[in-house]
Each structure stands twice: as C-alpha cells, then as structure tokens.
C-alpha cells in the first residue's frame, strides 16, 4: 500500500525525504530522467522490485507531484514522466551517484539499466571539442538512443537518429564494460556481445571520451560510475 509516513521535521531535507525517501522512489525518478516510460518498461529496468511495490511508488510520486501520467506514444497504455518539479532532482541524483561509488558493490547478480549507463555517459564523457560533431546510434536492451558528440559534450536522446556515423548494439552491462575499457571492443564484437555497424572509429571515440577524457585536467576514471 502507498505510504503516508512523515518525519514530521520542518527541515528541507526531511521534507524532501517525506516525498522521495521511500525505497525505490529515487530509482523510479532515475529511470524517467531520459524519457517517459510505461509501467512494463519500468518493471523491466528495475527487475528486483515487485509489481505491487512499483505501483505503490508510482502512485505516491504522482500524488506528491513528482511524476505525472500521459498517453504512451504507440500504445493505449499510459506512460509516466517527470513533472518540472520532479526534474529538479536530476543534479541531486548525479551527486548521489558520485557519492555512492565509494559504497560496496551489491552482491551478484546485480541489475544495471540502460538509463543508468546513459546518464553516466552524458555526465562523464568529454570528447575533443575541436573534433567534428558525430552522431552515433545506440541500441541497449532493445531500445534505441541517439548520441551526439559535439563541442566537448555528449547529448543523449531517445529514438532513432536521422543519420548516424555508426551503430552499437549491446546490453547495458556490456556497454558499461566497454566504457571502462574501450580496448575490449574487438573481443566483444568477436564473441557477439556487441555489434557495430558503420564507422567503428566513431564508436571508439565515444567510448574513449569517458575512459580517456579530452581535458588534461580530468583524471581517467577507475571504473564506470553509473547512477
């Protein structure tokens, strides 16, 4: 059942936790940062939550003004999206992800969603700002994303690109591993865990924009820091 528990504390931190402090609430918000999603898509992205608990969290977040429902683009089912107020959680989630990287890894098998890896990519990638703008197509977990490298940044949008220099298909964990070590791309292609069509060097540049950021002031990360 949805909860109405409160800390009964006037501090802004406590009031925020009254809204999004329940278990799974912030992970639902994370999954909606890049695009609206249907219930079934959220259930797939968060495999360790029960359907009943997910329904409770969605009702709570909608009631409290963090998310809202809208007609899905291709089906009668409704999709969930962040409200303007809910979207203000994005920088706080990014900071929480950075802080959490020092926490212990969860026991295997651990889930990793496409949204988590793509949010990390968008925040951590530092391609050469002098390089020609490049668009890549990513297919993760059967969903397609347009990724653009331009002006030293990477932008991520849902859907098919009009044109793309290259396309990469993989599962989120394989893509995460490739961001950590782009040199493993040939092996991933050979064993079938990753498929590349088009300009392989474009995909390599995308991967290395995280593991080998352009700016001399940025340190190479020891591992992918997914939210």
């Amino acid at each position: 059942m949805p909860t109405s528990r409160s800390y009964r504390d006037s501090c802004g931190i406590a009031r925020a936790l009254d809204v999004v402090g329940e278990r799974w609430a912030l992970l639902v918000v994370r999954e909606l940062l890049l695009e609206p999603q249907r219930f079934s898509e959220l259930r797939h992205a968060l495999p360790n939550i029960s359907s009943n608990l997910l329904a409770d969290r969605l009702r709570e977040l909608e009631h409290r003004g963090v998310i809202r429902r809208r007609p899905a683009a291709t089906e009668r089912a409704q999709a969930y999206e962040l409200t303007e107020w809910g979207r203000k959680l994005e920088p706080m989630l990014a900071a929480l992800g950075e802080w959490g990287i020092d926490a212990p890894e969860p026991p295997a098998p651990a889930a990793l969603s496409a949204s988590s890896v793509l949010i990390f990519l968008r925040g951590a990638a530092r391609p050469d700002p002098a390089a020609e703008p490049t668009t890549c197509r990513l297919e993760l977990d059967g969903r397609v994303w347009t990724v653009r490298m331009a002006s030293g940044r990477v932008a991520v949008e849902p859907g098919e690109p009009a044109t793309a220099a290259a396309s990469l298909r993989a599962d989120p964990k394989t893509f995460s591993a490739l961001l950590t070590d782009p040199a493993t791309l040939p092996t991933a292609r050979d064993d079938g865990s990753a498929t590349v069509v088009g300009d392989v060097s474009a995909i390599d540049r995308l991967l290395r924009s995280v593991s080998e950021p352009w700016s001399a002031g940025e340190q190479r990360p020891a591992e992918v820091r997914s939210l």
Side-chain angles (χ1 to χ4, degrees):
M1 294 290 293
T3 180
S4 58
R5 291 179 296 188
S6 171
Y7 288 103
R8 297 191 177 186
D9 187 318
S10 294
C11 168
I13 296 172
R15 288 153 63 189
L17 290 173
D18 281 346
V19 176
V20 294
E22 290 295 330
R23 186 169 173 81
W24 295 102
L26 284 177
L27 294 188
V28 170
V29 173
R30 181 198 69 191
E31 290 304 312
L32 298 179
L33 285 176
L34 294 180
E35 66 170 342
Q37 295 196 46
R38 300 188 297 271
F39 184 93
S40 59
E41 292 169 331
L42 289 167
R43 186 72 180 81
H44 177 75
L46 301 169
N48 294 315
I49 188 174
S50 69
S51 294
N52 287 342
L53 185 53
L54 175 58
D56 286 347
R57 290 296 91 89
L58 289 169
R59 281 194 290 268
E60 290 166 2
L61 291 170
E62 183 179 13
H63 175 72
R64 291 164 179 168
V66 179
I67 66 173
R68 60 182 166 230
R69 281 179 282 183
R70 48 165 274 185
T74 57
E75 296 183 10
R76 292 182 180 180
Q78 290 184 318
Y80 296 88
E81 66 181 1
L82 293 173
T83 62
E84 183 178 350
W85 188 50
R87 189 156 291 282
K88 291 180 180 179
L89 287 164
E90 183 168 1
M92 287 168 272
L93 279 172
L96 189 61
E98 279 295 310
W99 182 81
I101 197 63
D102 293 323
E105 285 280 348
L112 183 64
S113 73
S115 295
S116 177
V117 180
L118 290 169
I119 291 167
F120 166 78
L121 171 66
R122 186 179 62 177
R126 297 291 183 273
D128 184 351
E132 287 293 320
T134 303
T135 299
C136 295
R137 177 186 185 273
L138 289 185
E139 185 176 340
L140 304 176
D141 264 358
R143 297 166 69 185
V144 177
W145 306 84
T146 297
V147 178
R148 295 186 177 90
M149 293 182 285
S151 302
R153 294 288 177 181
V154 165
V156 178
E157 298 173 3
E160 292 277 358
T163 59
S167 175
L168 169 66
R169 183 175 72 248
D171 62 51
K173 289 186 178 180
T174 297
F175 186 54
S176 175
L178 290 172
L179 289 173
T180 301
D181 187 1
T184 61
L185 180 58
T187 301
R189 296 181 68 193
D190 289 342
D191 65 23
S193 58
T195 301
V196 177
V197 177
D199 184 0
V200 178
S201 67
I203 298 297
D204 185 69
R205 289 196 303 275
L206 176 64
L207 300 175
R208 293 183 186 280
S209 70
V210 171
S211 62
E212 300 172 8
W214 173 81
S215 174
E218 304 236 14
Q219 293 184 348
R220 178 172 176 156
E223 56 187 88
V224 169
R225 301 191 171 192
S226 303
L227 291 181

